[in-house]
Amino acid sequence: DARVTQTPRHKVTEMGQEVTMRCQPILGHNTVFWYRQTMMQGLELLAYFRNRAPLDDSGMPKDRFSAEMPDATLATLKIQPSEPRDSAVYFCASGLVHTGELFFGEGSRLTVL
Amino acid sequence: QKEVEQDPGPLSVPEGAIVSLNCTYSNSAFQYFMWYRQYSRKGPELLMYTYSSGNKEDGRFTAQVDKSSKYISLFIRDSQPSDSATYLCAPTGAAGNKLTFGGGTRVLVKP
């Protein structure tokens, strides 16, 4: 049963600490997306990759967030330094360009104290 | 104003009723219209999608798109308690492009 795998599922950290979230997309998928979900803002796109190349990271605060795909089986989202306003659920999703369907992971729930 | 708008609800209906969900958008470039369902503490999952204007039916679910008024609808017939979830509309300009999500409508189907 192919699925998007995200780690960690839950993370509690203190303000100023570095946070790294990891995502294993479904094998063979060529698009990867990072979304952030909060009650106030809903699902917001942070970054997305096609064939591992970054296409759009305009939704990401550049001074503290970075997203990479070091290889086809791993996508990372890093926050350094973290702030309380970064508390949210971060979703990774993968898909195929020609179908448009995105498959979401279970999310990483981040709490920054 | 957000690019995609949905009434947050909650929309509470008795089991067996028809659920009607709506979404409006502002970007004329949107061509594909997705509906995702999200259960509590889970990731969204694709329910169905339509291309351009028109209707599409899939079991108990019907999606409608009216591009002239930039209005998207999802109907759930014979609603079940298991349909209780948040429904998110997500249009996009092309397959494989980024999805712009509405805020979602929470639906409660009471037995």
Side-chain angles (χ1 to χ4, degrees):
Chain A
D1 185 23
R3 62 180 67 184
V4 175
T5 303
Q6 290 187 245
T7 57
R9 291 294 313 280
H10 301 274
K11 175 76 174 179
V12 179
T13 191
E14 292 188 349
M15 183 173 63
Q17 296 299 304
E18 178 179 302
V19 176
T20 298
M21 288 169 274
R22 294 177 173 81
C23 168
Q24 181 176 1
I26 292 174
L27 190 64
H29 281 185
N30 53 13
T31 60
V32 173
F33 296 75
W34 283 104
Y35 282 90
R36 174 172 64 184
Q37 188 173 40
T38 61
M39 289 291 291
M40 292 297 295
Q41 299 298 327
L43 275 164
E44 302 174 284
L45 178 69
L46 296 175
Y48 87 99
F49 297 81
R50 185 179 295 178
N51 296 320
R52 294 177 55 205
L55 284 194
D56 186 350
D57 61 1
S58 58
M60 204 162 61
K62 302 290 192 304
D63 57 338
R64 299 184 300 108
F65 283 60
S66 62
E68 295 180 345
M69 276 201 76
D71 62 60
T73 65
L74 177 64
T76 62
L77 180 67
K78 187 176 295 186
I79 308 173
Q80 167 63 23
S82 57
E83 298 180 0
R85 59 180 167 154
D86 300 330
S87 298
V89 181
Y90 291 80
F91 286 104
C92 175
S94 71
L96 292 168
V97 172
H98 66 276
T99 66
E101 179 177 1
L102 287 188
F103 293 81
F104 281 78
E106 297 279 89
S108 292
R109 183 174 295 271
L110 174 65
T111 303
V112 183
L113 303 175
Chain B
Q1 189 179 358
K2 291 191 172 182
E3 209 169 8
V4 182
E5 299 268 13
Q6 288 183 262
D7 186 326
L11 180 61
S12 183
V13 300
E15 183 176 355
I18 294 176
V19 177
S20 175
L21 302 168
N22 304 304
C23 179
T24 59
Y25 64 95
S26 57
N27 190 340
S28 299
F30 289 150
Q31 295 286 342
Y32 291 82
F33 303 90
M34 317 275 189
W35 281 98
Y36 278 77
R37 177 175 62 194
Q38 186 176 23
Y39 290 113
S40 180
R41 295 187 173 269
K42 297 289 187 181
E45 56 180 347
L46 181 66
L47 202 54
M48 60 189 304
Y49 75 92
T50 55
Y51 171 70
S52 194
S53 284
N55 295 357
K56 184 174 182 179
E57 190 173 314
D58 184 359
R60 296 186 295 113
F61 299 89
T62 299
Q64 291 183 350
V65 176
D66 181 348
K67 289 186 66 180
S68 64
S69 57
K70 296 187 178 69
Y71 196 82
I72 313 164
S73 300
L74 178 71
F75 300 95
I76 308 173
R77 290 184 300 281
D78 187 25
S79 58
Q80 305 295 310
S82 59
D83 294 326
S84 297
T86 297
Y87 291 80
L88 302 139
C89 66
T92 183
N97 279 10
K98 62 182 180 181
L99 300 178
T100 303
F101 282 89
T105 300
R106 188 173 164 221
V107 171
L108 298 171
V109 180
K110 297 185 175 180

